[in-house]
Amino acid sequence: MHVIQVDSLTINHAGRVIFRDLRWSIDDQQRVGLIGANGAGKSSLFRAIMGLVTPDKGAITRQRGIEVGYLPQEVILPAGQTVWEAANVLPPALAAVEAELRRVETALGDPAVYGDEAKLTRWLARQESALAEYERLEGARHEGRLRDTLTAFGFAAAQFALRTETLSGGQKKLVALTRLIMEQPTILLLDEPDNHLDIEAKRGLEKVISSYPGGVVIISHDRYLLDEVVTHIAALEDGKLTLYPGNYTAYTTERELRRLRQHQQYIAQQKEIARIEAAIARFEHWASIVVDERHIKQARSRRKMLERMEERGEIIERVRAPRTMDMQIAGWRGSAKMLEIQRLAMGFDDDLLFCDVTMLLRHGERVGIVGGNGVGKSVLFRLILEELTPLEGVIKRGPSTKIGYYAQEHQTLKVWAERTAIERLRDVKPMTENEAVAVLGKFALGYAQACQPIRTLSGGERSRLQLAVIMLSEPNLLLLDEPTNNLDIPSVEALENALEDFQGAILVISHDRYFLDQMVDRVVELRDGAARDYDGGYTDYLAAMGAALTK
């Protein structure tokens, strides 16, 4: 059932039209993945639905009694509360019943009530009715549901007492999401709930969303998550929203079929328009030679035919490829053994991250590093880069190994914060300013972004700049720490294409399971201080883990 209606919505931001005359009906039984390039207006659409942005035109209507829960990208939790306290909220109906039971309890303790048989009977009847409603709403199971939801999101019972100010960004988002789940609104609007989550937390997120009794609209660049949980894809592109049935994989197939059909129809219509325009020119030419009202009318009739097609919106648009990166990382062969790690141990103070880690990376191999947050994946990269010294063990690089490093938090750009992207590229490789601008253009960075201080760039823009630096440095070993975190789906797909053609070895830390399935042929899991090897991509790793658990 359609419970939210978006009608002819137009929003401008800083002089730019984000979308115009957008229409959308949101169903209370669908789980929809809202996708689109960075800057397409996905978050703005959510904020408009929540009344946080005033549209320039159009209206958003809700059915009476509809509750909408909203999870923004950046979550702020009240300080001084525990995880349990911050997450524990009653659904409105249950809260009303508990308030009624408290009123009844107060009344039954009043001598004026329990000393008056008629009043006592009425209050006991109210109590019976409230208790029946409490039972119908499964009020006694509320704390159990809260505990189960927090556990599904990876919180151990001992962590329920943690203060909210000690939590990571991903944990804060999960606490806020738990709160929404417990409120049970009719529709959940979730803006990138999977950001900064490890794989285990993402799997818990999938289970919770899949079992949610209401409608869910989720903005996400995680294609694996979109494959697992959504029933529809809403694609926001060029200011227009198109709904596709099925998950992300089904969407990609249907999108290509629609684009092919649109291209064929465009070609056929352009031929017909060209034929009509040729006829108009012919009749106008004849009319200029011989004054003949019949030729003039025929030309006018055909011109009106074209005008009516435009007025009715029947002109088929040319299929436009999405603007994204056009990158190539050539690489080169180098040593047969690119990297060798022997009996590596590392920790800080009394916290031992891992011990006896041994790994061999050969030329051409693509290896994914997985594990929960805090197990030492990024620390392993810093050890390879010689930014840290291990407690024990040896790291050997091949004599011709040249590393290209992508830092999760863009640390490689920190010393360049006040300089421009053009200056950063010209430091890597001698080139003119125009040549640097051309390179940046291939990474979907325009002239304005190229000339402003790097600190002012968005996360996605800094990610693309890091990739441009890596491309120019011509490495043969890539260390990639969460390279897809700030990229939209078209950019991730462009990165995958570039890595497919890369002539070298790749070691990548990622929580992007779809990306791992596409890119790696071996998975190394860091868990309980040890490293374990699994052949294949993420799906193969998952199958091996499942088989191990059933033994």
Side-chain angles (χ1 to χ4, degrees):
M1 180 174 64
H2 298 323
V3 294
I4 300 176
Q5 195 73 36
V6 179
D7 186 29
S8 301
L9 198 70
T10 298
I11 292 181
N12 293 277
H13 178 66
R16 181 176 72 91
V17 177
I18 298 177
F19 38 74
R20 178 182 284 113
D21 294 329
L22 186 140
R23 299 174 184 273
W24 190 18
S25 298
I26 300 179
D27 194 291
D28 65 346
Q29 293 301 311
Q30 292 177 348
R31 291 189 298 278
V32 182
L34 178 58
I35 66 170
N38 289 336
K42 303 182 296 295
S43 296
S44 295
L45 180 53
F46 271 14
R47 288 169 60 81
I49 292 171
M50 296 305 299
L52 301 174
V53 169
T54 302
D56 297 274
K57 179 189 169 188
I60 299 172
T61 57
R62 301 182 190 177
Q63 277 198 1
R64 189 184 299 276
I66 293 301
E67 295 290 333
V68 181
Y70 171 51
L71 183 76
Q73 281 191 37
E74 299 298 328
V75 168
I76 299 175
L77 296 177
Q81 289 190 345
T82 65
V83 166
W84 182 269
E85 290 166 343
N88 190 9
V89 62
L90 295 173
L94 185 56
V97 171
E98 289 202 354
E100 170 68 358
L101 286 171
R102 286 193 295 271
R103 284 192 295 269
V104 170
E105 185 179 353
T106 300
L108 291 177
D110 185 351
V113 172
Y114 65 71
D116 185 319
E117 186 175 349
K119 288 182 180 180
L120 180 62
T121 300
R122 285 196 299 271
W123 280 103
L124 287 173
R126 285 180 64 170
Q127 183 184 52
E128 184 178 359
S129 175
L131 287 171
E133 182 66 3
Y134 184 81
E135 185 174 349
R136 186 187 71 80
L137 295 172
E138 298 183 322
R141 290 194 61 245
H142 172 77
E143 289 196 356
R145 286 198 302 270
L146 175 57
R147 188 175 294 105
D148 291 345
T149 304
L150 287 171
T151 302
F153 285 151
F155 287 97
Q159 294 177 301
F160 294 173
L162 290 176
R163 295 289 178 179
T164 55
E165 53 266 32
T166 68
L167 302 179
S168 68
Q171 288 175 318
K172 288 178 180 178
K173 186 162 275 195
L174 290 176
V175 171
L177 180 54
T178 300
R179 185 182 179 92
L180 287 179
I181 295 291
M182 299 310 296
E183 285 179 328
Q184 292 191 336
T186 314
I187 298 289
L188 286 176
L189 303 181
L190 310 180
D191 194 346
E192 299 197 20
D194 50 299
N195 257 11
H196 309 298
L197 301 187
D198 60 27
I199 288 177
E200 287 301 315
K202 286 187 178 186
R203 292 169 67 183
L205 177 65
E206 289 165 7
K207 292 176 183 176
V208 171
I209 292 175
S210 296
S211 62
Y212 188 72
V216 181
V217 184
I218 178 171
I219 297 172
S220 178
H221 299 314
D222 188 322
R223 296 161 293 174
Y224 195 100
L225 183 145
L226 293 173
D227 261 354
E228 290 294 306
V229 306
V230 307
T231 59
H232 294 74
I233 292 289
L236 189 55
E237 187 176 8
D238 296 326
K240 298 178 181 178
L241 191 142
T242 307
L243 195 67
Y244 296 80
N247 63 10
Y248 180 79
T249 298
Y251 150 75
T252 57
T253 303
E254 179 62 21
R255 177 195 61 190
E256 293 310 310
L257 288 173
R258 290 190 189 186
R259 285 181 175 175
L260 179 61
R261 285 195 294 268
Q262 181 180 338
H263 178 68
Q264 292 170 337
Q265 291 166 355
Y266 169 80
I267 295 297
Q269 188 182 66
Q270 288 300 305
K271 288 180 180 178
E272 177 63 12
I273 290 173
R275 186 187 66 78
I276 295 171
E277 288 176 338
I280 292 170
R282 189 168 59 250
F283 287 128
E284 288 178 341
H285 176 67
W286 290 345
S288 68
I289 298 173
V290 179
V291 179
D292 186 336
E293 186 66 25
R294 182 168 59 90
H295 293 328
I296 295 172
K297 286 182 179 179
Q298 286 174 318
R300 188 183 301 124
S301 171
R302 282 160 176 76
R303 193 168 296 283
K304 285 183 177 179
M305 182 189 303
L306 292 179
E307 290 172 354
R308 283 195 297 270
M309 288 174 64
E310 291 183 5
E311 290 169 359
R312 293 194 295 259
E314 295 173 354
I315 301 298
I316 298 169
E317 295 182 359
R318 180 195 296 270
V319 177
R320 289 186 290 178
R323 181 173 180 263
T324 185
M325 298 190 299
D326 178 21
M327 64 180 294
Q328 291 179 326
I329 307 175
W332 42 287
R333 180 166 180 85
S335 308
K337 290 183 179 180
M338 304 293 289
L339 183 70
E340 189 172 3
I341 299 173
Q342 298 174 349
R343 305 182 68 84
L344 196 67
M346 187 60 188
F348 300 97
D349 298 326
D350 295 328
D351 182 18
L352 182 65
L353 290 174
F354 47 77
C355 60
D356 200 23
V357 168
T358 297
M359 182 192 310
L360 175 62
L361 184 66
R362 292 184 171 86
H363 170 77
E365 281 193 302
R366 281 113 164 86
V367 177
I369 307 292
V370 302
N373 289 333
V375 298
K377 303 185 297 295
S378 296
V379 171
L380 177 61
F381 273 18
R382 294 183 65 192
L383 289 166
I384 295 170
L385 293 165
E386 299 180 349
E387 294 178 0
L388 295 173
T389 302
L391 299 177
E392 291 181 7
V394 177
I395 299 175
K396 298 178 182 177
R397 299 186 197 174
S400 59
T401 296
K402 184 177 181 182
I403 293 176
Y405 173 49
Y406 179 99
Q408 180 182 168
E409 302 295 334
H410 311 120
Q411 296 94 323
T412 58
L413 302 175
K414 189 174 181 181
V415 297
W416 292 85
E418 300 301 326
R419 309 288 288 278
T420 68
I422 292 173
E423 291 174 305
R424 180 69 187 99
L425 293 197
R426 295 180 71 180
D427 182 70
V428 178
K429 185 176 182 180
M431 65 179 73
T432 66
E433 180 174 312
N434 287 340
E435 287 171 336
V437 170
V439 171
L440 292 168
K442 291 184 177 182
F443 288 80
L445 292 167
Y447 186 74
Q449 291 100 332
C451 296
Q452 66 193 62
I454 289 172
R455 63 174 171 76
T456 65
L457 298 178
S458 70
E461 289 164 347
R462 278 178 280 170
S463 293
R464 296 197 295 276
L465 175 56
Q466 274 201 100
L467 292 171
V469 169
I470 288 172
M471 182 187 77
L472 290 178
S473 66
E474 299 181 350
N476 59 3
L477 169 59
L478 296 179
L479 300 184
L480 307 177
D481 192 351
E482 298 286 0
T484 66
N485 260 8
N486 294 293
L487 300 180
D488 55 29
I489 292 176
S491 295
V492 173
E493 291 174 345
L495 174 61
E496 288 170 350
N497 291 333
L499 295 180
E500 279 288 341
D501 297 331
F502 175 66
Q503 298 299 309
I506 300 172
L507 196 60
V508 55
I509 297 169
S510 182
H511 294 140
D512 186 332
R513 298 156 295 176
Y514 201 103
F515 177 80
L516 290 172
D517 255 344
Q518 295 284 87
M519 295 312 307
V520 308
D521 44 46
R522 181 156 59 99
V523 172
V524 174
E525 181 194 35
L526 289 181
R527 182 194 290 266
D528 300 327
R532 297 173 179 84
D533 267 41
Y534 299 86
D535 288 331
Y538 174 77
T539 300
D540 300 308
Y541 154 74
L542 202 61
M545 289 285 290
L549 289 173
T550 57
K551 286 181 180 178

